Amino acid sequence: MEFSTLRAKGRVYLDHNATAPLAQSVAARVPEWLEQWGNPSSIHQSGRGPKAVLRETRNRMAQMIGAGAPLELIFTSGGTEANNLALKGVFEKARMNERRRILVSSVEHPSVRRTAEYLESRGAEIAIIPVLRSGRIDLDAYERLLDENVALVSVMLANNETGNIFPVKKLAELAHSKGALFHADCVQALGKIPVNLRDLGVDLATFSGHKFYGLKGVGVLYVRRGVNLESLIHGGAQERHRLGGTENTWDIASLGEMCGFQGQIDSRAEELKRLRDHLETRALAEISGVSITGGESERLPNTSSLVIPGVDGETLLMNLDMRGFSVSTGAACSSGSPEPSPVLLAMGLARAEAQTSLRVGLGWENTQAEIDLFVDELILIVERIRSFERPVLGEANV
Ligand code: PLP
């Protein structure tokens, strides 16, 4: 299947961990999906098309992520809602069994971290599993924290800033040995590496459509059959009473459409890695002092978290933006804030280092020519900033 996106001409988009540009094939089918305006819960004719969209997407997505059955999938409004539902839904049930501990890694997305903080105010005991500067999770610390009071462990499959991949299968096995449930935030992994929940052996898992070239506002929470989950939003009987509210059928359809590209994930991952390695090789060789955060550990093939000493990340980002390149200094939801990335700080980087970091997230349409243009521009801007010259701003050159 041919793949292309709506990305802006004349710009090089290198921020795919914030969001992926919309797939052309999704955009082309939106009018057709809008025609299916009926309520999927209606039993008359108008409800049948939308209901079929839900059924088909659930089937395709379950197959793509290796779920046991389509009905293990709950459609949500995105990764944030799915993470909230996982943590709050499990805790509400677990506290009846007196298990009050929740373990989360120190580098989770705010939708996990802040939900855990909220649950602490509701009586949960939260413990943080450290992630080392190398990008590896501290397994010894994890084993020390795990005991029979733990209701849930939540560790992401891949980190949004460094791309580091955590050994979820092993972590889940250890959690299960203590009778705890295991949730994995797989938002960043979807579409970048193959994800197979059967292999991973997790109880709950989160996905989001817009990180995989779909529309914004759709996500999935996988809940293994037999896992007891309290509903987060009370209302109608949608999603088997676990999330009330009429489903967002066209967003859901966009996720179903993207499942059609499943067969490309492996080969795309190889090409992403080749481009990412090319970028890093050049940056390390041609810009003095550069280091790659988490670079020595397993990573997503598309992500590079660079520390460039002596160069403020925000200044660099703005200069690159004006030259036609979209990158980020960390999580999209934190940008605009002068605070350095909590993920990098949690991994043990000093504030000064975290402030000089830049995140590059490649996507399926990036080319080597774009990467070379980007590195050429990066070298010039870094030299200029380091020599305290005012940036020369001009027309975008791509
Ligand atoms: N989890 C991770 C790891 C993410 O990177 C993000 C988005 O940045 C989310 C969850 C939230 O997903 P959504 O934007 O669909 O709410």
Side-chain angles (χ1 to χ4, degrees), residues 145-160:
L145 291 169
L146 259 182
D147 61 24
E148 270 73 21
N149 294 319
V150 176
L152 178 70
V153 178
S154 182
V155 177
M156 64 208 327
L157 179 55
N159 184 265
N160 41 307

Side-chain angles (χ1 to χ4, degrees), residues 74-75 81 231-247:
I74 300 175
F75 290 122
E81 189 173 57
S231 172
L232 191 61
I233 303 288
H234 300 96
Q238 290 92 352
E239 302 305 295
R240 307 183 101 206
H241 295 276
R242 290 172 299 183
L243 196 64
T246 304
E247 296 89 346

Side-chain angles (χ1 to χ4, degrees), residues 234-365:
H234 300 96
Q238 290 92 352
E239 302 305 295
R240 307 183 101 206
H241 295 276
R242 290 172 299 183
L243 196 64
T246 304
E247 296 89 346
N248 188 349
T249 45
W250 32 84
D251 274 4
I252 292 170
S254 77
L255 188 57
E257 174 71 19
M258 285 312 301
C259 292
F261 291 95
Q262 180 193 355
Q264 302 193 8
I265 293 175
D266 268 321
S267 57
R268 297 278 185 180
E270 263 176 51
E271 177 61 6
L272 284 172
K273 182 172 182 315
R274 192 186 69 75
L275 293 180
R276 195 268 316 272
D277 290 351
H278 176 67
L279 185 155
E280 290 185 349
T281 305
R282 279 201 61 194
L284 288 166
E286 297 177 54
I287 305 173
S288 62
V290 168
S291 61
I292 313 291
T293 306
E296 59 200 86
S297 303
E298 200 186 346
R299 276 185 298 161
L300 290 175
N302 79 314
T303 308
S304 187
S305 177
L306 305 152
V307 170
I308 308 176
V311 181
D312 174 61
E314 293 281 324
T315 310
L316 191 51
L317 180 150
M318 286 186 286
N319 276 271
L320 284 164
D321 186 26
M322 285 184 277
R323 302 293 291 171
F325 300 91
S326 303
V327 289
S328 116
T329 50
C333 36
S334 321
S335 51
S337 128
E339 279 304 297
S341 148
V343 165
L344 301 180
L345 295 180
M347 289 172 68
L349 271 73
R351 283 179 78 85
E353 279 178 297
Q355 243 142 2
T356 61
S357 81
L358 195 71
R359 178 185 72 177
V360 181
L362 307 183
W364 286 5
E365 281 197 301

